[in-house]
Amino acid sequence: MRPALFARFLRANHPPCSPHRVHLRLSSQLHAAPAHAQHSPEEAVDLAPDFGDYSIILPPEPFQFGTSHFHTLPVPSSIALPPYMLERERRRATGESDAEINGAGDLDPYPKDGRDRDGRIELGGQDEVGLRAAATLAREVREYAGSLVKVGVTTAAIDSAIHEYIVAHGAYPSPRLYSGFPRSSCTSVNNIIAHGIPDARPLEDGDIVNIDVTVYLGGFHGDTSRTFLVGNVDKPGRELVNVTTETLEAGISACGPGKHFRGIGKAIQELALQRGHSVSSQFTGHGIGRVFHRPPWILHDKNDEPGVMKPGHCFTIEPCIIQGSNPRGWIFPDGWTTSTEVRPPAPHHFKAHWLTNRFSEQNCARSAQEEHMVLITHTGADVLTR
């Protein structure tokens, strides 16, 4: 969508707001009521599920498209670069612009045939040692990141600290300039499902924030994330984060040699639905190792995808669990940040909505995510980032 049209779309579908947030009580999903139902705004709030009290994140105005306005932190020359960064530097040397490089497609290809086509590593060898080392560092970075989460701290400051921690341990922060992503980690707050770009917004009391970190160490990527509580988070928010952990563990329990990959999504979605939440189908887990993202692709909802886990498969499971029954997301003008949907009020509530400045008809549910790397062994499944 062209920038001018996108701006018109946002203004038509979002209330006026301050650059980074509005405060509202989210009793959303009014649209789930029958179309013929006639309720006052007060009655409608009572009929809708209560998603709790929190700030929603919307793109700052005026809208800035792309990521050129974000500062990317430097990496010491002593740090070994992943293949996609080596390819980026090669293209830069030929005169290609960043925009051309970012639009060139996958700079981190994986083998499509031969021994490595399914991404399995040789168990018991140096590849397994290297993979485990990268995963261990990723876990340490994740825990360090969690220690930084406090009211008033900006996600940009957390990202900067993560960056310094990673390079101090001789590793490269894998998200940095991967397909043009400008930061060294992803920070997704409240209604942001995934790929939030760290910025100058201070974390607020009651926020939840997912921090997704990946490191490139010794030729292997290690990838993990967790959603952290900021200060005093309300009961629905705490429950969402707990359910997200439970669904991840349910997915892990479905893993083992000879088991079908589709069993992971089945276990995750069934549990999420039991708890009254939904699962994003827009984001998947992925094979990982020498390549950042590659098959097998791990779907987190029910699916009929073929494929069986074999010893040596390593992949991430990283479900995004969303309050309520609408898991759809939309992408901010930066091209990365993905939020749960914001819907305008039903027509018969439009006048009352704007006159009272009440946003109860908006659906901007919170999302939480948690991620682990799983290695299939000859006897079971080993969680490398736990």
Side-chain angles (χ1 to χ4, degrees):
M1 186 180 292
R2 290 177 301 182
L5 293 177
F6 192 85
R8 286 169 55 194
F9 166 80
L10 285 176
R11 291 192 180 93
N13 287 277
H14 298 285
C17 61
S18 60
H20 287 287
R21 65 187 184 279
V22 295
H23 286 277
L24 57 148
R25 183 165 187 81
L26 287 180
S27 298
S28 58
Q29 295 202 329
L30 176 69
H31 57 276
H36 63 271
Q38 298 292 319
H39 302 290
S40 69
E42 290 77 10
E43 291 172 329
V45 170
D46 291 337
L47 291 172
D50 183 2
F51 290 159
D53 290 309
Y54 54 97
S55 296
I56 66 170
I57 309 300
L58 294 175
E61 295 189 43
F63 305 127
Q64 293 181 282
F65 291 82
T67 60
S68 61
H69 55 290
F70 289 100
H71 173 64
T72 299
L73 295 171
V75 169
S77 59
S78 59
I79 299 297
L81 301 178
Y84 52 86
M85 280 303 300
L86 295 174
E87 177 64 12
R88 174 178 286 272
E89 293 199 344
R90 185 191 70 78
R91 292 186 178 221
R92 275 180 173 169
T94 66
E96 287 189 56
S97 67
D98 284 342
E100 290 173 323
I101 297 171
N102 294 341
D106 190 4
L107 302 184
D108 193 26
Y110 50 86
K112 304 298 192 297
D113 53 24
R115 178 181 177 276
D116 296 328
R117 65 182 176 182
D118 67 352
R120 286 187 290 160
I121 66 166
E122 183 179 352
L123 296 177
Q126 288 304 306
D127 280 2
E128 182 178 355
V129 173
L131 184 66
R132 287 180 178 274
T136 296
L137 178 59
R139 181 194 70 216
E140 294 170 355
V141 175
R142 182 195 68 213
E143 296 308 303
Y144 172 66
S147 73
L148 304 174
V149 173
K150 295 179 176 61
V151 174
V153 177
T154 68
T155 51
I158 292 174
D159 179 72
S160 179
I162 288 172
H163 179 93
E164 295 303 325
Y165 187 99
I166 292 172
V167 298
H169 286 76
Y172 180 89
S174 303
R176 179 186 179 272
L177 295 179
Y178 180 83
S179 295
F181 188 82
R183 302 296 203 193
S184 298
S185 63
C186 298
T187 55
S188 302
V189 179
N190 294 344
N191 55 291
I192 304 305
I193 301 173
H195 297 163
I197 300 177
D199 62 16
R201 176 191 181 273
L203 292 173
E204 298 179 356
D205 188 56
D207 282 345
I208 62 173
V209 55
N210 175 267
I211 303 179
D212 192 337
V213 299
T214 312
V215 303
Y216 182 72
L217 177 70
F220 291 90
H221 296 275
D223 190 4
T224 183
S225 84
R226 179 173 295 167
T227 298
F228 299 96
L229 306 179
V230 185
N232 299 305
V233 175
D234 62 3
K235 183 178 179 181
R238 297 194 306 272
E239 289 178 346
L240 172 65
V241 173
N242 289 338
V243 168
T244 302
T245 300
E246 291 175 14
T247 60
L248 173 59
E249 293 300 327
I252 292 170
S253 296
C255 295
K259 294 187 177 182
H260 292 276
F261 284 109
R262 61 176 176 264
I264 297 172
K266 181 177 184 291
I268 289 171
Q269 186 169 37
E270 286 181 349
L271 181 55
L273 291 176
Q274 289 173 13
R275 299 290 196 273
H277 298 306
S278 54
V279 182
S280 172
S281 60
Q282 293 175 255
F283 299 96
T284 71
H286 52 89
I288 189 169
R290 292 190 179 277
V291 178
F292 193 173
H293 299 98
R294 59 155 303 144
W297 308 114
I298 308 300
L299 278 62
H300 301 118
D301 53 353
K302 288 184 179 180
N303 63 87
D304 296 319
E305 290 294 309
V308 173
M309 301 173 216
K310 300 177 181 178
H313 271 137
C314 186
F315 50 85
T316 68
I317 305 177
E318 45 186 298
C320 300
I321 307 301
I322 298 169
Q323 293 176 307
S325 60
N326 176 14
R328 292 186 299 273
W330 63 282
I331 299 176
F332 281 12
D334 60 39
W336 286 95
T337 307
T338 305
S339 169
T340 55
E341 286 191 340
V342 179
R343 295 196 175 196
H348 54 281
H349 294 323
F350 186 83
K351 185 176 181 180
H353 172 88
W354 289 107
L355 286 177
T356 61
N357 198 31
R358 298 180 65 190
F359 298 90
S360 58
E361 292 88 349
Q362 301 277 354
N363 174 13
C364 211
R366 278 176 288 191
S367 175
Q369 185 180 26
E370 190 165 340
E371 174 184 13
H372 276 311
M373 287 172 60
V374 177
L375 175 65
I376 303 301
T377 67
H378 294 290
T379 58
D382 200 354
V383 182
L384 303 186
T385 48
R386 179 173 286 158

